[in-house]
Amino acid sequence: MKSILWKSADKLRGSLDAAEYKHFVLGLVFLKYVSEAMAEKREQLEAELKDEGGWSEDQILETLEDRDEYTGAGFFYVPPAARWESVLARAVGSVNGPSIGEVIDSAMEAIEGYNPSLKRTLPKMYDGGRVDAQRLADLVKLLDRLVFQEQLGDDGKRKGARDIMGEVYEYFLGEFALKEGRKGGEYFTPPSVVKLLVEVLEPKQGERVYDPACGSGGMFVQAEKFIETHGGNPLNVSVYGQELNLTTWRLAHMNLAIHGIEANLGDEAADSFHNDQHPDLKADVVMANPPFNISDWGAERLGMDARWEYGTPPVSNANYGWLQLMAAKLAPGGRAGIVLANGSMTGKSGGEGNIRRAMVEDDLVACMIALPGQLFRSTQIPACLWFLAEGKGRHSEYVRGRKGEILFVDATSLGYMENRTTKSLTDDEIVHRVGDTVRAWRGEPHYDPYKDLPGFCKSVPLSVIREHDYVLTPARYVDPPESDQEPDAEPLESRIARLTQDLYRHFTESRRIESEVRNQLEKISGS
């Protein structure tokens, strides 16, 4: 399936750039998916009706086209003219009529009409002449090879259309983020970073989850998976999000629809700072990976905003605007996690140091995690995770008995190289190495008592943080790792002297070899 997807992208290169063909291909993949998912449900429904007996053929056919039979079961209803087989028939030329582009655009409009949750979501860009009819028909025929009906997964478990489409969608988003570089990173957060955020925040059923820079909705998808894995009902969660970029906002709607997540992403794509789509929201869990260090965020138009409880953030950098926006959205006892550049832990320009001090003194900051490098495909800027807890040490159920303390985790040594340029965290590192450490520190039952670990974590009182002028870099506080050398190991000074002598010998040998090579070359030249 991955091979087919990238062949589909190849067919569009030269006609569209990467940012456009992402939507172009994903729209068709979505059309294929909703058609097959409905067909899967239709077969099941038909078998049930025939098993019941007492239904005439006409009654069965009428019931099989009843929209409520599908939408009520969490499926999208696709009218006959919009189904994949109708689009495919036009692509292979077995039927005449409107152009293939017109057929696809009409199908997208029809699906939105029958499924209000998809309103203004699906791309309608196929009849614009950007891609010629033959290339578009070839693309449809290629994507016809994708199979979304129930099949056996790599783990030996049966997977339905929704599970398969979810995996395909996440794979495609990740690959396009890689191809698009920095621009692609605007809507894509590395999966292991999302998993770590969710693992530490631990969303639960019945809670309100909010992301003010939701991109394609990956945080929500992982939150749903976490809740389901831990025995909760993932459908019993209220999801709120906001996204500035219109095409990414549409991507998020499609992504969440595929995963069966009902979300309120606002009435339009909008800026969370200047056009808050959820002004009255107070959320139990807030999480985001906003753009790092953005300077053109219109701070001068916000003035003394009510959200700046801890101080007005600098016009030149939005980091402390994001932190305070998220803090302002927290319900009593709520918690937040945010990905930011490492400079946010130490910066003082424009009043950042004063804001950080006020947040620490208010006991809002619960945990700081320094991430390893090379996790992000779109930027080489080192990143960290901030975790905030409203009412920490007072009325918070999330953090018990840690008033006036912050947990610092130095995770910079974790991870493995996924490829030549990108690193990823393992599930064991996320769940046990970091997740269990944070849970123990928070006082979760059924975990061993928390202990500081040299080279990895340390719980630090506010008095010590004051001495360090409110710098929140974990390496400043975490004790250095214990030496793993044997007691009778070679002393450092002796080792340096020995290695220096070895290096000098290599230099001498290198010069000898260079001289010999020159002599031989001169002989060749002379002859």
Side-chain angles (χ1 to χ4, degrees), residues 299-416:
E300 65 281 356
R301 302 198 307 274
L302 294 170
M304 298 298 292
D305 195 284
R307 293 169 290 188
W308 309 153
E309 180 180 352
Y310 300 100
T312 304
V315 173
S316 59
N317 195 312
N319 288 345
Y320 278 81
W322 287 113
L323 280 167
Q324 294 190 86
L325 181 154
M326 293 173 69
K329 288 293 187 183
L330 288 177
R335 63 267 190 207
I338 181 171
V339 188
L340 285 177
N342 277 0
S344 63
M345 300 187 288
T346 59
K348 294 184 178 181
S349 62
E352 287 183 335
N354 293 331
I355 298 173
R356 186 168 58 251
R357 179 183 64 219
M359 293 173 68
V360 171
E361 288 289 352
D362 196 37
D363 218 6
L364 179 66
V365 182
C367 176
M368 300 294 302
I369 299 178
L371 295 172
Q374 296 180 268
L375 289 176
F376 293 83
R377 294 169 170 177
S378 56
T379 179
Q380 294 302 311
I381 298 174
C384 62
L385 301 181
W386 288 66
F387 290 96
L388 313 178
E390 198 284 327
K392 174 167 67 76
R394 302 190 297 277
H395 56 264
S396 171
E397 293 184 7
Y398 177 68
V399 180
R400 303 170 179 86
R402 291 292 180 180
K403 185 175 181 179
E405 290 182 67
I406 296 177
L407 174 64
F408 291 93
V409 177
D410 186 349
T412 54
S413 64
L414 302 185
Y416 68 98

Side-chain angles (χ1 to χ4, degrees), residues 424-444:
S424 182
L425 299 168
T426 68
D427 286 345
D428 185 69
E429 289 170 336
I430 293 168
V431 176
H432 301 298
R433 187 86 167 110
V434 178
D436 287 353
T437 296
V438 176
R439 279 184 280 272
W441 179 82
R442 284 176 28 224
E444 282 289 298

